[in-house]
Amino acid sequence: MSVVPAQAVAGASPGAGAWSEDGEAAPLAPRAGLVPALGAVYRAQLSRARVARIPLLFVATFQSVGIMVLLRGVVDGGAPARSVVSGSAVLVVAFVALNLLAQYFGQLRAGGGLDHYATLPVPPAAVVLGAAAAYASFTVPGTVVTAVTGCVLFQLPMANLWVLAAVLPLAGAALSGLGAALGLLAPRQELATLCGQLGMSAALLLGVLPPDGMPAVIGWARDLLPSTYGVEALARSFDPHPDWVAVGADLGVCAAVGVLSLAVATWAYRRAATR
């Protein structure tokens, strides 16, 4: 079933895709615009993932809440508590948007699913962005539940949890783009799954654990992880007097990484679809 609405190809001629009376092939329907194609792919992916991914969302949320409960015995409060809560909240995004999306595109490439999308009159960017947005959308309930639970466990203020409205889409874009790129560039489906799981493990170890006292090499690796800046922005919002300039800078870096990772994923899609 095509995921492109009829409106997207409304400009096609009545004979588009058919044979003319003199036996020559009639011109095909024009390629759909990015916005309508993106909306169609997003709705299709959202409908598909609603059944298949909701149980895994519960697993991701339970995992993050469980990590906070375990660390509650060794972390009392202050900066370490803010890091644990913000890292656990963003970990839900990493589990779904990075890990599962890498597996999805790896399966799509291995099973020939890219050939189906290649036959549709939709831009490559719409396929990548639509799938990434759909998977990132499923992280919203789990991230909110994790953040609120963490605030209760560690007695952190909830007044600035509205920052999640910026952290979620920006961190989701960065991690979704990375996950899609890993799935599309991996030569084998098993390697795509492995890369997605390693990426989620990196988000767990480098994002949830307090950075104070970590070796310099670990700190550098943490700076290279896209989710780090979303974690830092959310952690700063728990301060009694947040530095909003620093929060904005972290979100700006997260947005830039998101644009870059989605661009790489779009290039990887074109490369995989034409091979």
Side-chain angles (χ1 to χ4, degrees), residues 206-270:
L206 302 178
V208 176
L209 297 180
D212 298 338
M214 284 187 177
V217 176
I218 301 299
W220 296 336
R222 189 172 183 270
D223 292 339
L224 294 175
L225 192 67
S227 59
T228 297
Y229 302 95
V231 172
E232 290 294 330
L234 183 58
R236 293 180 193 276
S237 69
F238 292 128
D239 292 340
H241 302 286
D243 185 350
W244 296 114
V245 174
V247 171
D250 287 329
L251 293 176
V253 173
C254 200
V257 174
V259 172
L260 178 62
S261 65
L262 289 171
V264 172
T266 302
W267 169 82
Y269 171 83
R270 289 196 184 99

Side-chain angles (χ1 to χ4, degrees), residues 89-90 92-93 136 139-144 163-174 230 251:
V90 176
V92 179
V93 183
T139 67
V140 174
T143 304
V144 173
V163 174
L164 279 174
V167 171
L168 272 171
L170 296 180
L251 293 176

Side-chain angles (χ1 to χ4, degrees), residues 8 15 28 34 52 54 56 87 106 121 138 212 224 251:
L28 296 176
L34 177 61
I54 282 182
L56 294 176
F138 274 94
D212 298 338
L224 294 175
L251 293 176

Side-chain angles (χ1 to χ4, degrees), residues 66-81 84 153-154 208-210:
I67 289 171
M68 291 190 299
V69 172
L70 290 175
L71 291 177
R72 183 63 181 87
V74 296
V75 175
D76 293 329
V84 168
L153 282 174
F154 292 93
V208 176
L209 297 180

Side-chain angles (χ1 to χ4, degrees), residues 56-164:
L56 294 176
L57 176 60
F58 281 109
V59 172
T61 306
F62 181 80
Q63 171 185 261
S64 293
V65 172
I67 289 171
M68 291 190 299
V69 172
L70 290 175
L71 291 177
R72 183 63 181 87
V74 296
V75 175
D76 293 329
R82 295 193 286 270
S83 296
V84 168
V85 174
S86 56
S88 297
V90 176
L91 181 61
V92 179
V93 183
F95 183 89
V96 177
L98 194 160
N99 183 26
L100 297 185
L101 200 58
Q103 295 182 35
Y104 169 72
F105 273 107
Q107 294 171 357
L108 200 66
R109 182 184 180 189
L114 292 182
D115 296 336
H116 165 69
Y117 281 105
T119 62
L120 299 177
V122 296
V127 178
V128 174
L129 293 176
Y135 274 69
S137 296
F138 274 94
T139 67
V140 174
T143 304
V144 173
V145 169
T146 301
V148 172
T149 303
C151 290
V152 173
L153 282 174
F154 292 93
Q155 289 83 48
L156 296 177
M158 300 186 192
N160 295 323
L161 277 183
W162 55 265
V163 174
L164 279 174

